Structure formats: C-alpha cells, structure tokens
C-alpha cells in the first residue's frame, strides 16, 4: 500500500533513513524537524509499517510556453531487508502518476543512474563544475587565456560580503530568479530555498550576499571549498574564489557553473527527469545531496 506519510510514521522513517544513508541522528532529526510535512513523503507500507520512502520537493520548470510544476525526488530509501522487491520502483511510478510524469532527481552513483533509467528517467540536465587550485588563480593573463578560464587582472578587489539566513529566502529567490530565469530553468519555491539555506548552514556552509547584488552558496568539505550556486559574472566569481580561498587558507575550490559562464567545466553531474528537457540546456544547480 502506498500513501503519504504522517507524523505518526516519523520514527519509522528515521529508521529507514539511518539504515540506508547512515547519517548522524542529529542530521536526520534536522530534516524531519525542518522540512518534513504532510504530503511531502510517500511511503510503501507492509502491515501498516513503512518499509520504503521518498520525498517530493515542489519546484517550477520554465518552459517555452509557460511554467510547469515539477517535483524533485529526494531521499529514496528502502529498509535493507525489504530491498530487491520493487518497492522503490512502485513508489516512483506512483509519484509520477500523481504528478503527471513531472519528477526529476540526481542519482548519487552510476548504479543508481541505471536503476532510474529502468524506471523511465532520462539524463537531461548536466550540472557543470570547474575545480580550481589556488595556484591557477595566480597565473598571468596569457596563461589564463590558454586555460580558457576567466581573465584575472592584477587588480585585487575586496567584495563586501554579508551572510544570509533562512528568513532572507525571499531576497535569495528574487536575486536567483532574476539572474537565472530562462527556458528550462528550474525555480525553487521560497519554502525549499529557506530549507536549503538552513541545511547549508547546519552542515557548516554559508549563504552569502555579495556587494548587495549577487548570491553565493558555499560549503567546505574535506579541505575543498564548494560553491554550490552563484549568480556572479564569470570574471567576478573567479575574483571571489581568490578572496575566499585566501581568507580560508584552503587550496582548492569547486564551482557549479551557470549556463552563461564562459569557464571550461572539468567536472559534471547528471540530473534525470521524467519530463522532456533538451539535453544539456537546462539549469538546476541547487540540489539536496
């Protein structure tokens, strides 16, 4: 039996999450305390007990002729002793029935990519990243051009940086939508952006307002600075990377690129969907991973 979970099922859902993803209890409590709500999580029940789950996060896909409501599929999980019985596949099929094939997701591994492909998903949006070492930012202009990176001038600009909180999600959304909105852009709702800011902060990251004009979401992980999303022109984001690396004393940064960035990506990730998007033409960087 499939239905939306309610608050009486939360402890069982936490058990599924723990056994599948092995996250700290505090992070699991954070998700269910800050995001979970009625009609957000589908469950497969055996004897009235959840054994499999997935969460649907609403968003909007900007198409040529209008806006389509879509849903990001997050935290697909089945108890280990219930795996291999098709429960996750049935949840995915039900999710696509009620959303009219309007779901998308980011597979964590190649094996999961194959699993989702068998469940009707296609690789559509390619998230592009560039990984930069600190020494690359100190090259001269000629070398920068040879690397097809942004031109780094000899001038050093210090950006004015303010940290945004969840209550600033409307400002984040305004800047994000204004800079990124275009055909095949996936727009997050304010509720999800507020959660993204809180989740990023919970895991040690920061959401930054740069010069009162741009937004940048950053997180440090294993001595690498990750810029999960930004709205800055290519030359300015490289200058900001220099400043952030210098201030943090880190040696490396990975930047998720906008479609308009003229930087040469050296890493990619795949987003899969049940709705059509011309491959490589969409934008979706701010994923929950």
């Amino acid at each position: 039996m499939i239905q939306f979970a309610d608050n009486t099922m939360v402890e069982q859902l936490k058990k599924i999450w723990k056994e599948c993803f092995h996250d700290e209890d505090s992070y699991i409590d954070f998700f269910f305390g800050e995001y979970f709500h009625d009609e957000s999580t589908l469950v497969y029940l055996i004897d009235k007990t959840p054994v499999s789950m997935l969460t649907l996060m609403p968003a909007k896909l900007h198409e040529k002729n209008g806006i389509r409501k879509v849903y990001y599929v997050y935290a697909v999980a089945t108890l280990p002793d219930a795996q291999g019985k098709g429960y996750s596949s049935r949840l995915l099929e039900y999710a696509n029935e009620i959303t009219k094939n309007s779901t998308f997701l980011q597979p964590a591994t190649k094996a999961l990519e194959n699993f989702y492909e068998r469940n009707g998903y296609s690789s559509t949006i390619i998230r592009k990243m560039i990984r930069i070492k600190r020494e690359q930012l100190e090259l001269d202009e000629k070398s920068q051009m040879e690397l097809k990176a942004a031109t780094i001038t000899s001038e050093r600009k210090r950006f004015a940086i303010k940290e945004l909180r969840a209550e600033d999600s409307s400002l984040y959304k305004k800047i994000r939508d204004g800079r990124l909105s275009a055909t095949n852009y996936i727009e997050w709702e304010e509720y999800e952006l507020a959660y993204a800011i809180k989740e990023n902060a919970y895991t040690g990251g920061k959401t930054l307002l740069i010069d009162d004009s741009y937004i940048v979401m950053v997180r440090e992980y294993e001595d690498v600075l990750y810029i999960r999303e930004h709205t800055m022109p290519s030359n300015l984001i490289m200058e900001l990377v220099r400043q952030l690396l210098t201030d943090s004393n880190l040696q490396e940064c990975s930047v998720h690129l906008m479609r308009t960035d003229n930087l040469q990506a050296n890493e990619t990730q795949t987003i899969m969907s049940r709705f059509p998007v011309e491959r490589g033409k969409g934008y979706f960087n701010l994923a929950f991973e």
Side-chain angles (χ1 to χ4, degrees), residues 25-140:
D25 290 343
S26 58
Y27 182 82
I28 300 172
D29 290 340
F30 171 82
F31 172 80
F32 283 97
E34 296 292 341
Y35 188 82
F36 176 83
H37 53 85
D38 289 345
E39 298 192 359
S40 66
T41 300
L42 286 172
V43 291
Y44 194 96
L45 303 177
I46 299 293
D47 296 329
K48 299 182 180 181
T49 300
V51 297
S52 186
M53 65 182 231
L54 63 78
T55 292
L56 296 173
M57 295 180 162
K60 296 176 182 176
L61 172 67
H62 289 234
E63 299 180 308
K64 289 182 179 179
N65 299 317
I67 293 178
R68 175 177 184 166
K69 190 167 186 178
V70 295
Y71 296 84
Y72 181 62
V73 178
Y74 179 60
V76 182
T78 301
L79 284 172
D81 59 4
Q83 291 176 7
K85 299 178 181 179
Y87 298 145
S88 289
S89 293
R90 293 178 204 176
L91 283 177
L92 289 167
E93 192 56 40
Y94 184 79
N96 282 293
E97 285 179 12
I98 63 176
T99 65
K100 299 180 180 178
N101 287 318
S102 294
T103 66
F104 67 108
L105 48 81
Q106 178 181 320
T109 65
K110 182 63 178 177
L112 284 174
E113 188 174 334
N114 294 336
F115 167 75
Y116 290 122
E117 193 171 62
R118 293 195 300 272
N119 279 277
Y121 287 84
S122 300
S123 299
T124 50
I125 299 174
I126 307 301
R127 299 173 75 196
K128 297 181 179 181
M129 295 86 74
I130 180 171
R131 188 172 285 244
I132 308 160
K133 293 185 181 296
R134 183 198 290 248
E135 56 263 30
Q136 289 178 268
L137 299 176
E138 302 304 326
L139 297 174
D140 59 23

Side-chain angles (χ1 to χ4, degrees), residues 16 27 36 47 57 69 90 94 177 179 194 196 206 212 214 217 220 260 275 280:
I16 297 173
Y27 182 82
F36 176 83
D47 296 329
M57 295 180 162
K69 190 167 186 178
R90 293 178 204 176
Y94 184 79
D177 293 345
R179 181 74 171 91
K206 294 181 179 181
D212 292 323
Y214 309 106
M217 187 173 286
E220 182 181 332
T260 56
F275 49 82

Side-chain angles (χ1 to χ4, degrees), residues 220-239:
E220 182 181 332
Y221 180 69
E222 294 184 346
D223 297 324
V224 177
L225 184 69
Y226 289 89
I227 295 182
R228 302 174 63 196
E229 180 168 72
H230 76 89
T231 62
M232 301 181 75
S234 298
N235 62 318
L236 293 185
I237 191 63
M238 289 296 99
E239 288 288 358

Side-chain angles (χ1 to χ4, degrees), residues 238-286:
M238 289 296 99
E239 288 288 358
L240 179 68
V241 167
R242 184 205 305 277
Q243 180 174 323
L244 294 177
L245 287 180
T246 300
D247 291 349
S248 66
N249 205 32
L250 295 172
Q251 300 298 315
E252 195 169 358
C253 181
S254 177
V255 183
H256 282 81
L257 301 177
M258 296 189 296
R259 284 185 292 187
T260 56
D261 280 328
N262 60 5
L263 302 171
Q264 185 67 44
N266 51 28
E267 293 182 350
T268 60
Q269 293 175 338
T270 298
I271 303 297
M272 306 182 77
S273 70
R274 285 280 291 256
F275 49 82
V277 174
E278 187 178 353
R279 182 176 170 82
K281 299 297 184 181
Y283 177 87
F284 178 73
N285 268 359
L286 188 54

